[in-house]
Amino acid sequence: MAIVFHEASKVFHLYNQDISYLIRIMENGQLENLYYGKALRDRDDFSYMHEEAMRSQMSINVPEPGLLSMQYTRQEYPSYGTGDYRSPAFTVLQENGSRIVNYEYTAYEILKGKKSLEPLPATYVEDEEEAATLEVTLHDQVTDTDLILSYTIYEHYPVITRNSRFVHKGSEKIVLERALSASVEFIDTDYELMHLSGAWSRERYVKSQKLETGIQGIQSLNGTCSGAEFNPFLALKRPHTTEYQGEVYGFNFVYSGNFLAQAETSTFGMTRILMGIHPECFSWELKQGETFQTPEVVMVYSDQGLNKMSQVYHRLYRTRLMRGRWRDQARPILLNNWEATYFDFDEEKILNIAKKAKEVGVELFVLDDGWFGARNDDHRGLGDWYVNLDKLPDGISGLSRKIEEMGLKFGLWVELEMANKDSDLYRAHPDWLISVPDRFESHARHQYVLDFSRKEVVDHIHEMVAKVIRESSISYIKWDMNRYMTEPYSKGTSASEQGKVMHKYILGVYDLYTRLINEFPDILFESCASGGARFDAGMLYFAPQTWTSDDTDANERTKIQYGTSMVYPIVSMGSHVSAVPNHQLHRETSLATRANVAYFGTFGYELDLNLLADKEIEQVKEQIKFMKEYRELIQIDGDFYRLKSPFEGNETAWMVVSQDKKNAVAGYYQSLNQVNGTWIRLKLDGLCPDALYEITYDTTFDTPVDPEMMAVYGVKIGSDPVKTYQAYGTELMYAGIPINRDLLNRKSMDFSSLLFMITQVG
Ligand code: DGJ
């Protein structure tokens, strides 16, 4: 890995064994993006890659006879108004009303390692040899402002991270009306734009569309979160790129609030990617001496398809974004009472559920919504972070102690950023809601957003929640957030600062997380937002796991988890076995399939185990035993491979392979049974070609169709034991595991699944 500056040709070259990124200082002092992609051999002069041509209506940015035009140049951080008519990366409003700037190169610095962006979340290094950072300083003379563009390249990952920083030195105030984190330009438009989008309970479906001339993009204007509709991730992939071959460029925003991510293709065949805080409702006044730091964008390049890109994101995020004690630890198997009781519980009911959970091997009991204030339904109580003694007479301290005495850890749900109007908090502080005076306050789920842009609000909530934690024995916190922002306005902020409110709100959330993490470093945090509306890299810096979706149906979950795995590691995905009929879809799936899907995540249960039959309880015990044996491989050690996409057919398959390739586990899921089904071969990946493996799987299933009817077809239910055979890595990867779908269809109901355990034996 190196970052070099070639003085004579004025080109910076950032490269490692996989990627190269070339930046040139242009004749007008601004920065040009010469190349981003597969690694190039370094040389003194790459400036031949600069393109110029005389064109009609072209505005030229250098004295005659020069031809440098911003309109036809690929730039590092473009502005509007000097001849480039595409979307800019930033806009600076000045006191005289002008928005014209000219940031010219003044200096550069190459640093070992990577700077922290705190209070913003960002990837980090543990040893400064792991990465190198280039900071290029540009200066606008008229406003007397520095713009520092920062690039970090990792030694062992095809990763470049970017951010930008404005340092205002001038005496006139300036207003940043747009300050995105990164702009990257590509030399052609032959790409598909891939992103993850959806809605509540169907988050992060994989979408791809061919790039067309003009602007196409995704965004969040939700204020409180990155959102269920679009994830702050997009990728440019070649049309023929698959999971395992072809080029793809990933862009992921390490931020949890409003974002804009767009691709703009010009009629001159260039593609510009922009990513950063959404400019809508954003304006940031800088006075002399003040600085604005944009959040980080993590760019991953792969020339081996989508799966390689995902594996890079997974490992980088698991080891260099997540932090704290839980980063390298397999996660406890939990039972959450939400779908078991909703708001309807008391201590006795909770202890009964916990007791059964302990009996089957669960390690952590999580008490969800409804334990505080007057919270007997979702109309009231949010904001009152003290226990409801009618439900829990011994308080959270008493309950947590009793649960711990059973041999379980105790976890608690909170939703700290919200208030119901029917709450003591709102009655005492009606001006603490985000809303505009004299205007209607929109509501959602009967609740309102607290103004976390104000320190006194964060302080107050912090005191309340920290007191509960201090007085009790709490090992896990589920931090929920259940509504988007409306009427963004802070009553504690001046008119000229209102454009800062939405970003400061997110900084307030990060601040509260930081205080709680610092005081309670052993607590495992799980973030949540109406299911998976805040599944982003910003959150993973604070909470190493996220509730993936409120949809706990196993078949739907294959899509949600598959899409989420494009960027986010398996260990970050909250995944539970819930009751049937499923509470979101009323669908019946077998207990085996529900677990087979949930294994590829944090794994837990969200039902009242007391309602299961004895046979099912035995099955749950086996499932927990399995997960305890395999969770280190699945969550920490292994690499994840997507094998069959639920977005392309009736089947899903994926697998995890250990670093040493000695162990693997694969899941195969079929949605609907198909009569007279054919055999298929499930081709695995990531194994050692010459190693001999033993493959074990269970062919008995757990919801067979009527045995008597099957006997008519000559199928003996329950007659097939667990199947074991041996095969070399080459056979498993190139010939595949033969699966008799006809047998599967006859023996099992819809939504069947198979789990393969693969162990090297020679
Ligand atoms: C939304 C979450 O996604 C659910 O898991 C649950 O915690 C509810 N909120 C509680 O209100």
Side-chain angles (χ1 to χ4, degrees):
M1 163 201 65
I3 299 178
V4 286
F5 181 50
H6 297 294
E7 289 277 354
S9 57
K10 296 199 169 131
V11 172
F12 294 98
H13 187 191
L14 295 80
Y15 64 97
N16 61 23
Q17 69 279 14
D18 296 313
I19 52 169
S20 275
Y21 194 96
L22 293 171
I23 305 164
R24 186 176 82 97
I25 304 169
M26 296 187 283
E27 290 69 17
N28 66 356
Q30 295 177 23
L31 298 185
E32 176 178 23
N33 179 248
L34 277 188
Y35 173 80
Y36 171 37
K38 199 171 165 83
L40 305 177
R41 185 194 170 122
D42 189 39
R43 58 180 302 201
D44 291 340
D45 193 356
F46 290 102
S47 60
Y48 70 90
M49 292 187 191
H50 170 72
E51 298 164 10
E52 265 176 27
M54 185 62 204
R55 300 184 198 281
S56 163
Q57 300 249 355
M58 170 168 122
S59 325
I60 298 170
N61 288 93
V62 286
E64 295 191 45
L67 284 181
L68 182 67
S69 168
M70 295 302 97
Q71 193 174 353
Y72 304 107
T73 302
R74 293 181 291 275
Q75 299 163 64
E76 277 303 311
Y77 201 68
S79 66
Y80 169 77
T82 61
D84 182 357
Y85 301 99
R86 293 165 289 167
S87 304
F90 70 111
T91 307
V92 181
L93 174 64
Q94 294 143 63
E95 277 188 9
N96 68 358
S98 156
R99 291 177 174 83
I100 303 306
V101 289
N102 180 25
Y103 281 89
E104 292 184 62
Y105 169 81
T106 56
Y108 77 91
E109 204 180 347
I110 295 171
L111 313 156
K112 283 186 166 191
K114 186 173 192 292
K115 283 184 178 171
S116 158
L117 292 189
E118 284 191 354
L120 287 168
T123 53
Y124 58 88
V125 292
E126 287 203 327
D127 176 333
E128 59 177 26
E129 302 301 327
E130 288 176 10
T133 298
L134 168 68
E135 288 202 339
V136 186
T137 303
L138 306 152
H139 185 72
D140 180 61
Q141 243 178 356
V142 175
T143 56
D144 193 9
T145 311
D146 281 344
L147 164 62
I148 297 145
L149 301 183
S150 173
Y151 305 79
T152 296
I153 183 163
Y154 277 84
E155 163 97 56
H156 296 298
Y157 297 108
V159 169
I160 289 179
T161 68
R162 291 191 52 177
N163 67 76
S164 51
R165 188 162 82 246
F166 291 85
V167 180
H168 186 43
K169 300 168 174 169
S171 51
E172 276 188 19
K173 68 167 202 266
I174 58 169
V175 179
L176 300 176
E177 294 181 322
R178 166 186 282 246
L180 303 184
S181 296
S183 162
V184 183
E185 304 225 33
F186 292 84
I187 55 173
D188 68 334
T189 61
D190 190 23
Y191 291 103
E192 284 177 1
L193 179 72
M194 198 185 87
H195 60 90
L196 307 172
S197 71
W200 174 79
S201 269
R202 48 180 169 83
E203 297 91 345
R204 289 173 299 286
Y205 282 18
V206 179
K207 301 276 178 204
S208 282
Q209 64 205 54
K210 183 157 172 31
L211 271 191
E212 294 295 346
T213 306
I215 295 173
Q216 43 251 277
I218 53 169
Q219 64 182 31
S220 162
L221 283 171
N222 304 342
T224 49
C225 60
S226 44
E229 292 74 17
F230 298 106
N231 194 259
F233 163 77
L234 63 77
L236 286 188
K237 70 180 184 75
R238 295 293 182 190
H240 300 296
T241 294
T242 65
E243 283 286 2
Y244 291 98
Q245 60 183 35
E247 279 194 304
V248 56
Y249 295 85
F251 300 86
N252 189 216
F253 196 31
V254 187
Y255 188 63
S256 312
N258 288 354
F259 73 87
L260 174 70
Q262 73 176 39
E264 179 170 1
T265 62
S266 77
T267 50
F268 280 86
M270 298 183 287
T271 303
R272 173 178 289 173
I273 295 291
L274 291 174
M275 185 173 257
I277 293 178
H278 203 299
E280 184 69 33
C281 284
F282 172 88
S283 67
W284 201 276
E285 185 181 294
L286 285 180
K287 299 195 186 72
Q288 193 166 32
E290 290 182 340
T291 292
F292 182 75
Q293 172 66 58
T294 68
E296 172 166 284
V297 169
V298 177
M299 314 196 306
V300 173
Y301 170 77
S302 159
D303 62 346
Q304 293 157 51
L306 300 171
N307 207 77
K308 169 79 185 301
M309 174 195 73
S310 303
Q311 287 183 350
V312 171
Y313 274 121
H314 291 182
R315 198 143 292 273
L316 181 74
Y317 284 179
R318 203 194 62 66
T319 62
R320 294 294 179 266
L321 176 66
M322 294 179 183
R323 301 172 299 161
R325 176 186 149 198
W326 286 99
R327 186 188 79 173
D328 299 324
Q329 275 194 49
R331 304 298 156 77
I333 293 167
L334 64 77
L335 184 136
N336 177 304
N337 74 308
W338 178 242
E339 288 195 14
T341 65
Y342 296 101
F343 294 107
D344 180 20
F345 62 81
D346 56 19
E347 192 185 82
E348 193 190 342
K349 200 168 184 179
I350 291 299
L351 290 175
N352 262 336
I353 296 174
K355 192 162 159 254
K356 195 73 182 174
K358 173 65 191 163
E359 203 180 299
V360 297
V362 164
E363 297 158 314
L364 167 70
F365 176 85
V366 179
L367 182 63
D368 210 278
D369 197 351
W371 60 266
F372 51 90
R375 187 77 169 169
N376 292 321
D377 53 41
D378 59 11
H379 288 255
R380 64 206 92 245
L382 278 179
D384 297 341
W385 299 108
Y386 37 81
V387 72
N388 179 332
L389 290 171
D390 291 337
K391 282 180 173 174
L392 306 171
D394 290 338
I396 291 296
S397 55
L399 178 66
S400 60
R401 209 184 44 252
K402 288 178 199 172
I403 299 264
E404 287 215 328
E405 277 164 8
M406 285 181 185
L408 288 165
K409 295 287 182 195
F410 179 77
L412 194 63
W413 177 97
V414 290
E415 186 174 358
L416 301 172
E417 301 153 63
M418 300 288 154
N420 290 118
K421 285 199 173 172
D422 187 355
S423 69
D424 295 342
L425 182 86
Y426 176 75
R427 284 183 279 273
H429 302 284
D431 64 323
W432 278 8
L433 302 188
I434 292 262
S435 68
V436 184
D438 305 324
R439 296 207 180 267
F440 183 73
E441 292 168 333
S442 305
H443 46 92
R445 207 191 182 199
H446 322 290
Q447 66 193 53
Y448 298 82
V449 182
L450 283 173
D451 187 354
F452 264 43
S453 75
R454 290 165 68 175
K455 185 172 172 303
E456 65 272 29
V457 178
V458 176
D459 286 347
H460 185 86
I461 300 295
H462 172 239
E463 269 166 41
M464 276 198 282
V465 70
K467 184 168 181 289
V468 178
I469 303 173
R470 280 182 210 125
E471 288 171 357
S472 315
S473 197
I474 293 177
S475 306
Y476 161 107
I477 296 253
K478 176 176 172 187
W479 178 326
D480 202 351
M481 191 291 296
N482 285 303
R483 72 158 285 189
Y484 297 164
M485 201 183 281
T486 51
E487 296 87 31
Y489 187 90
S490 166
K491 296 179 202 90
T493 303
S494 67
S496 66
E497 301 271 295
Q498 290 297 333
K500 295 185 175 178
V501 169
M502 290 172 111
H503 179 50
K504 282 174 84 176
Y505 175 91
I506 296 296
L507 293 178
V509 173
Y510 292 159
D511 176 27
L512 185 51
Y513 257 115
T514 303
R515 297 188 209 187
L516 294 177
I517 288 168
N518 287 344
E519 186 176 347
F520 308 106
D522 289 336
I523 288 185
L524 171 60
F525 283 86
E526 176 158 339
S527 75
C528 172
S530 305
R534 224 187 217 170
F535 210 127
D536 57 64
M539 274 295 121
L540 291 183
Y541 187 69
F542 302 98
Q545 58 191 57
T546 303
W547 181 226
T548 313
S549 177
D550 272 348
D551 194 338
T552 53
D553 172 78
N555 187 60
E556 295 307 301
R557 271 300 185 113
T558 58
K559 285 186 252 170
I560 297 166
Q561 292 176 206
Y562 190 97
T564 305
S565 81
M566 276 294 158
V567 186
Y568 306 103
I570 302 313
V571 69
S572 66
M573 290 186 217
S575 52
H576 299 170
V577 172
S578 61
V580 288
N582 174 265
H583 291 196
Q584 292 76 39
L585 279 178
H586 310 288
R587 179 183 280 156
E588 300 261 358
T589 53
S590 71
L591 186 52
T593 290
R594 279 174 274 157
N596 287 348
V597 176
Y599 290 142
F600 294 87
T602 59
F603 195 71
Y605 291 82
E606 187 152 341
L607 43 72
D608 185 348
L609 292 164
N610 293 302
L611 304 178
L612 298 192
D614 291 351
K615 206 174 131 232
E616 290 175 312
I617 286 294
E618 290 314 307
Q619 205 177 339
V620 166
K621 284 183 186 163
E622 286 302 312
Q623 292 173 347
I624 291 175
K625 204 168 131 220
F626 169 84
M627 193 56 185
K628 285 180 180 167
E629 192 183 332
Y630 279 88
R631 64 182 157 183
E632 184 74 25
L633 163 67
I634 293 173
Q635 299 175 348
I636 303 297
D637 179 54
D639 286 321
F640 186 70
Y641 293 83
R642 289 181 296 267
L643 305 174
K644 278 184 171 292
S645 168
F647 299 104
E648 289 168 13
N650 193 37
E651 294 151 312
T652 304
W654 51 45
M655 70 184 293
V656 175
V657 183
S658 65
Q659 293 293 293
D660 63 11
K661 300 190 178 295
K662 289 189 169 153
N663 292 293
V665 54
Y668 167 84
Y669 314 88
Q670 177 177 267
S671 294
L672 300 182
N673 283 355
Q674 287 175 334
V675 74
N676 203 1
T678 53
W679 284 76
I680 59 143
R681 294 280 175 89
L682 177 64
K683 291 183 185 170
L684 304 185
D685 214 300
L687 300 172
C688 178
D690 297 326
L692 184 66
Y693 292 95
E694 186 163 272
I695 301 94
T696 309
Y697 63 106
D698 186 351
T699 62
T700 51
F701 318 117
D702 68 345
T703 42
V705 288
D706 181 3
E708 276 176 29
M709 194 181 84
M710 285 298 97
V712 175
Y713 293 103
V715 178
K716 272 213 236 120
I717 299 301
S719 61
D720 296 306
V722 170
K723 202 165 173 172
T724 298
Y725 70 100
Q726 293 189 348
Y728 284 100
T730 46
E731 294 162 59
L732 294 170
M733 293 193 289
Y734 314 144
I737 297 179
I739 298 177
N740 180 354
R741 278 191 297 200
D742 197 40
L743 189 66
L744 200 66
N745 296 340
R746 289 173 185 220
K747 286 182 69 175
S748 175
M749 301 196 337
D750 287 338
F751 315 113
S752 55
S753 62
L754 289 166
L755 195 70
F756 300 94
M757 280 70 80
I758 299 135
T759 311
Q760 192 181 328
V761 289

